[in-house]
Every structure is written in C-alpha cells, then in structure tokens.
Amino acid sequence: MNADLDFSYAPDIYSFDSWHDKFNMAEKIQTVLKGKRAQLMQRGKGKLAMLMSTMPIVVQIGENVFVHGGLTPETISHGIDELNQDVAKWLRKDTDVKPWLLDPVPKGGRTVSPLWERVYGMPIVPETALSNLDGMLDKLDAKRMVVGHTPQKYGISGVETDKEKEVWRIDTNLNDKIMGRVECLEILTDLDSPEAASTVRVLSEDGRIIDAQKRKNMFEELLRSQSKTETAVPAPLRS
C-alpha cells in the first residue's frame, strides 16, 4: 500500500528512526511527514521502496514457510519464486504492472492475497482452510507455516491439521498504542541431522519457555462445545 502511496493505515506523523543509519542521513529523523514518506516509498527510486524490493513476500527455510497473511491456492498456483520476482520488479519499477496477488480487494467474495489472508488467524480455522493448507505444504515439502497480520489476543498460538501440519499465528498485537503479549516463536533445527523433527517453543518476556504443545490447538475444546454456526469466544491462556 505504501508503494502505491496509500498511507491510510499509517499515522500522519511516522517515525523513521530505525532507517537513519541505514541511509546515512545527515540529521537524525525523529518524525517524517507524508510528503517525505512518499519520497522514500516512490517505486524505482525511493530508498525504502528499493530496500523492500530485496525482501521476498514468501520465504521458505527448510520445512518452515513464512508469510505475512497466509498461503492461498492462488499463491501456490502463481508460484512463490515468481511472485517474489514480480513484486521486486514492480517495486524497482522495471514494470508498471502490479502483481494482482498484492490486491487486498476480495476476488469472488474472498481474499486471495498472501499479504491479506486472515482465515488462518481465526480462533477456529475452518476445516476447508486446514485441508487446503495440508495440500499446499505438501507441495512445498514443508511442515509448518508461520503468519502474522491477524492479532492474537491471548498470545502466540498454533493449529495442527489432520496430517500433522501446523500453522503458527505470531501477531501478538504489539504496537505503540496496544501492548499485547511480548512473545516470540522459537524453531530449533539440528543442522547435523536435518531430517530430525524441529523443536518449536514459545518464549515469553518473563523468561518462561512454553512447549509448543501447550499452545497448539488450544481452541479444540471450545470447538467441541460450540455449534459450528455459533461465534466462538476464546478463553484466556493459562500459560
């Protein structure tokens, strides 16, 4: 959106402190107005736009897939490498054709963008979405998908599919106005035995190390007790 010069989700005054050293600016920038932000985000020449062109939309590291909103069948059909390349070309202004998978507008009544998908952030993920996830991760030879985008009120949580694939939701609603849980997801892999299963844990601000199983499928009991047509309200986490 920012590369489209659409700042509707950004405040009028925005801090770019973290970019100061990156771009060797003469004076430390405390706040930047929209006009300056538009210069930084201008496709083909803006420093932030050019930096973002080096950042892929979807990243796969071993059996782990990282994406902001979530994989969709359209993403897989288009091709992850192709999508990353198309977005990079658009940000560099090698082309003026915007990749359609960046569009937040629902197609056929539903979102298809890997940046805007929210179905995997729902307290109870629909069975159809989990079935789709099984198929997509199988094609990528992956075990789990890690997503953000949809805030998780009660902390990082995971959902396991029937095929023992996983989706981890790590947006804990941390920002300068709403202080959510300070947590991170840790994925440990034995590099000497890459075929061995990874260890997944949740690390909390107070030093606790929480086994993934305690945060996985935490809404199963709720699912059993609620009608599928009812709106589920999750209970707070105990760990």
Side-chain angles (χ1 to χ4, degrees), residues 167-195:
V167 55
W168 285 93
R169 298 87 66 83
I170 64 171
D171 187 333
T172 61
N173 213 19
L174 280 177
N175 57 54
D176 59 355
K177 298 185 184 304
I178 303 174
M179 182 56 69
R181 290 193 175 210
V182 180
E183 296 181 334
C184 69
L185 186 71
E186 178 185 65
I187 303 174
L188 300 175
T189 301
D190 186 348
L191 297 180
D192 294 327
S193 303
E195 299 302 321

Side-chain angles (χ1 to χ4, degrees), residues 4 8 25 84-85 117 126 137 157-158 170 173 177 183 203:
D4 271 334
S8 56
M25 295 179 181
N84 289 335
Q85 292 170 12
E117 179 63 87
L137 291 181
S157 65
I170 64 171
N173 213 19
K177 298 185 184 304
E183 296 181 334
L203 309 183

Side-chain angles (χ1 to χ4, degrees), residues 83-140:
L83 175 61
N84 289 335
Q85 292 170 12
D86 289 349
V87 173
K89 290 177 182 177
W90 181 70
L91 288 169
R92 294 195 304 262
K93 210 172 182 180
D94 294 342
T95 177
D96 286 325
V97 179
K98 182 181 179 181
W100 63 273
L101 280 172
L102 297 186
D103 194 347
V105 178
K107 184 175 182 178
R110 65 185 184 85
T111 301
V112 298
S113 170
L115 296 180
W116 293 90
E117 179 63 87
R118 287 197 185 275
V119 68
Y120 299 110
M122 297 172 63
I124 298 175
V125 181
E127 289 297 326
T128 52
L130 293 178
S131 178
N132 285 338
L133 182 62
D134 275 333
M136 291 185 290
L137 291 181
D138 276 342
K139 288 183 179 180
L140 297 174

